[in-house]
Amino acid sequence: KKTDNHILVIFGASGDLTERKLIPAVFNLHCRGFLPDNFAVVGVSRSAFTDEAYREKVVFENEHLKDVGGNGDRAKFAKRIYYHAMQTNNPADYPIFRDRLKQISLECETGDNCIFYLSTPPSLYEVIPRSLAEVGLHREQDGWKRLIIEKPFGYNLETAIDLNQKLLQYFSESQLYRIDHYLGKETVQNLLITRFGNSIFEPIWNRNYIHHIEVTAAETVGVEKRGGYYDGSGAMRDMVQNHLLQLVALVAMEPPVQATETSIRNERMKLFQSLRALSEDDVVNNVIRGQYTQSKIKGESVPGYREEEGVATESRTETYFAMKFFIDNWRWSGVPFYIRTGKRLPTRVSEIVIHFKPTPHHLFSKGNGLPNTENILVIRIQPNEGILLKFAMKIPGAGLQATDVNMDFHYSDLNDAYIPEAYERLLLDCIQGDATLYARGDAVEAAWEFVDPILKVWESNPDIKIYGYPAGTWGPEHADDLLEGDNITWRYPC
Ligand code: BG6
């Protein structure tokens, strides 16, 4: 694909994401020869840095920068980085910013192509695009202009619709790149190949053969230094509305007609539209919220969520979320989906588990009186990326007894395969004008449409329980009840 000369402007340049993910992603692309001859990065925020001081911070002193290829020359890379201090919420500062950008583009011979990356608090998602447009930086006559918007995209359905409308006043949909970094993960994209690049899975990928599907995104970390943000957000807004629902979309959507941006995004959108809305009773019975409490992990005392910096002492924000729901379409009618995510769980793992139905007639036992088990397909998103298929095999020797064995593929077995970071892949896609792995405006709204009523039920019913769970455990025990009625259990990966 074509990779044009360009400038990447990062608003929120002194923030954590820029240092931890964005600059390292650009550096990796540079090292691996994916960037054009002429490119520049311009960091923008309020803090006062000179170009040199900023280069020192994000390049030379940045512990997240690692050379991944032949061209790990930091000094050469640093020369492409610039810094501009301004009040991003003050439209009056933008004419000077536009002039500085022009000057950098002449100096670096980048032309007028520009990506504006909004890695700022959401409160600036309106004023920055508007102010850019006021000084003409949305116009594409001399070069393309693209806007990347970090999550959270909206706080609820209403604010998401409102944000879409405001952005569309200045930019067209084709200029908007709503980022969800889960879509940039290699293993998440591989879902498309597993499902639609093989002939053996798709014929059985439906209600006739699949009993239920589990999606887990477990983290060991707590809220770290983000208590202030997280307390106003919670697991539902932070992980479910975006990352988990995107995983559900890829695992459950219909085959796209073509492997193109429009086809793939259309199918994800249709899937969101098929999610069955939860009633108030469903929210009470099929959704579990939890909050981690003080505990000891490996002998070390870990604070409870309410003791974390920036978190209200009486907070009712969930750090754990589990839900059972259905998809109303031909393929999935009657198949339960169970999703869960949480902070301070025992292990860091994200995986999707497809549980196939047992054989219609049980001929063999496992030796313990139980019928031979179901087949399961585990799609491991991270860490230990790979795919595992469990199937029954005869125990060698007398009789006909079955046992489970694994067919196991690990990405780490691909010796020279480099697995790019999600942000690396997504930034390159944006530079190349490919929005397949970004969320389209209507799909973001459709995902909110599913989530919003649940948030509303919680808001209007303070009696709905939020359960405590000791940090370092698998969340509230009540989450097991969601599955117990169906005679199944969660998978507890290690
Ligand atoms: C972010 C959330 O979007 O995703 C964080 O805001 C979460 O709370 C993170 O920790 C998880 O991402 P990953 O790539 O580590 O699974």
Side-chain angles (χ1 to χ4, degrees):
K1 280 187 194 148
K2 207 159 149 272
T3 311
D4 298 324
N5 295 335
H6 67 276
I7 298 181
L8 166 66
V9 178
I10 304 176
F11 289 95
S14 52
D16 193 44
L17 186 75
T18 304
E19 191 164 327
R20 252 180 343 109
K21 298 284 184 189
L22 303 183
I23 296 290
V26 183
F27 183 62
N28 288 358
L29 289 171
H30 166 71
C31 294
R32 297 173 61 230
F34 279 112
L35 293 183
D37 292 340
N38 301 341
F39 76 92
V41 178
V42 182
V44 179
S45 71
R46 262 182 311 192
S47 320
F49 285 106
T50 58
D51 287 342
E52 284 69 30
Y54 189 65
R55 289 170 184 163
E56 213 44 51
K57 171 179 151 67
V58 296
V59 179
F60 297 108
E61 289 167 6
N62 187 348
E63 54 172 314
H64 303 283
L65 226 64
K66 299 198 179 65
D67 179 12
V68 296
N71 192 13
D73 184 344
R74 291 186 183 212
K76 227 165 120 195
F77 176 69
K79 285 202 187 114
R80 312 291 193 110
I81 313 256
Y82 295 81
Y83 184 80
H84 184 78
M86 65 186 266
Q87 300 290 336
T88 41
N89 61 357
N90 181 7
D93 277 12
Y94 282 73
I96 299 169
F97 167 65
R98 180 194 51 203
D99 295 346
R100 176 88 202 276
L101 215 53
K102 190 74 210 163
Q103 186 196 329
I104 295 170
S105 93
L106 291 174
E107 199 174 312
C108 301
E109 298 178 35
T110 54
D112 284 323
N113 299 324
C114 240
I115 297 177
F116 301 104
Y117 196 123
L118 305 191
S119 174
T120 63
S123 53
L124 296 171
Y125 286 0
E126 198 206 321
V127 61
I128 295 177
R130 173 161 46 86
S131 310
L132 288 172
E134 277 168 7
V135 295
L137 282 170
H138 63 315
R139 285 202 207 103
E140 296 202 287
Q141 71 264 40
D142 298 319
W144 47 253
K145 304 287 182 303
R146 296 176 186 146
L147 193 67
I148 303 184
I149 306 119
E150 257 301 331
K151 62 166 268 270
F153 194 94
Y155 188 73
N156 51 28
L157 177 61
E158 195 188 330
T159 49
I161 294 175
D162 187 55
L163 180 56
N164 268 334
Q165 279 172 356
K166 293 208 163 108
L167 292 172
L168 288 169
Q169 282 175 18
Y170 317 110
F171 290 83
S172 65
E173 179 61 35
S174 63
Q175 293 176 285
L176 299 177
Y177 288 71
R178 299 169 191 81
I179 201 163
D180 184 314
H181 80 281
Y182 265 57
L183 288 175
K185 290 182 191 273
E186 193 62 38
T187 40
V188 173
Q189 295 159 51
N190 191 45
L191 270 167
L192 291 172
I193 308 286
T194 304
R195 291 192 56 199
F196 308 126
N198 290 297
S199 61
I200 58 171
F201 295 121
E202 202 45 30
I204 55 171
W205 208 266
N206 57 50
R207 64 188 302 272
N208 297 322
Y209 297 94
I210 292 178
H211 186 267
H212 67 282
I213 291 183
E214 258 180 272
V215 180
T216 295
E219 297 185 275
T220 48
V221 290
V223 287
E224 302 181 289
K225 296 203 173 82
R226 301 160 72 221
Y229 148 77
Y230 194 90
D231 208 35
S233 167
M236 176 67 134
R237 290 186 171 94
D238 187 50
M239 290 291 289
V240 179
Q241 187 275 335
N242 32 66
H243 307 327
L244 262 67
L245 288 185
Q246 291 292 351
L247 294 183
V248 170
L250 286 174
V251 84
M253 72 186 210
E254 293 303 312
V257 178
Q258 292 164 329
T260 57
E261 177 180 315
T262 309
S263 280
I264 294 175
R265 291 170 120 200
N266 281 350
E267 294 308 331
R268 292 208 304 261
M269 167 70 187
K270 272 155 66 183
L271 195 280
F272 291 139
Q273 290 173 325
S274 325
L275 296 169
R276 185 190 299 172
L278 269 67
S279 66
E280 193 160 332
D281 277 354
D282 292 334
V283 177
V284 174
N285 298 320
N286 292 342
V287 180
I288 301 291
R289 280 185 302 173
Q291 201 181 64
Y292 62 82
T293 56
Q294 192 276 331
S295 174
K296 276 201 161 160
I297 300 179
K298 292 185 190 140
E300 281 205 18
S301 176
V302 175
Y305 176 68
R306 291 180 181 182
E307 284 100 62
E308 299 274 19
E309 201 186 315
V311 172
T313 45
E314 300 285 303
S315 170
R316 283 178 56 80
T317 298
E318 76 287 356
T319 61
Y320 176 94
F321 174 93
M323 164 167 72
K324 172 183 175 180
F325 65 95
F326 291 90
I327 294 172
D328 280 338
N329 63 17
W330 276 59
R331 184 186 289 264
W332 296 115
S333 177
V335 178
F337 282 69
Y338 302 91
I339 61 177
R340 64 180 165 166
T341 183
K343 298 220 180 263
R344 285 268 186 242
L345 301 189
T347 186
R348 174 176 181 253
V349 60
S350 294
E351 64 175 32
I352 297 169
V353 190
I354 317 293
H355 296 259
F356 292 95
K357 287 185 174 171
T359 53
H361 178 55
H362 303 313
L363 287 175
F364 315 114
S365 83
K366 270 178 60 177
N368 53 6
L370 294 171
N372 61 298
T373 51
E374 47 158 22
N375 295 117
I376 69 171
L377 183 72
V378 180
I379 296 165
R380 180 62 78 93
I381 290 158
Q382 63 188 26
N384 306 329
E385 292 82 356
I387 298 184
L388 164 76
L389 178 66
K390 277 187 183 288
F391 63 102
M393 189 203 83
K394 177 181 172 296
I395 299 176
L400 273 175
Q401 281 191 350
T403 188
D404 289 330
V405 286
N406 293 344
M407 213 188 272
D408 217 350
F409 160 71
H410 295 274
Y411 274 72
S412 54
D413 295 340
L414 303 171
N415 285 337
D416 44 1
Y418 168 74
I419 304 187
E421 284 279 325
Y423 279 98
E424 211 176 311
R425 166 67 200 245
L426 293 173
L427 274 175
L428 182 61
D429 280 4
C430 179
I431 296 167
Q432 296 178 336
D434 181 349
T436 310
L437 300 175
Y438 285 84
R440 204 168 60 194
D442 54 359
V444 172
E445 289 178 16
W448 272 118
E449 237 166 82
F450 177 62
V451 160
D452 206 53
I454 304 173
L455 294 169
K456 291 223 167 82
V457 172
W458 285 347
E459 272 160 30
S460 55
N461 294 285
D463 295 342
I464 299 180
K465 286 228 157 46
I466 167 155
Y467 302 100
Y469 62 97
T473 65
W474 273 107
E477 284 169 8
H478 295 81
D480 293 339
D481 303 344
L482 279 184
L483 286 80
E484 244 160 44
D486 301 332
N487 273 328
I488 47 178
T489 56
W490 295 103
R491 204 178 107 84
Y492 288 105
C494 43

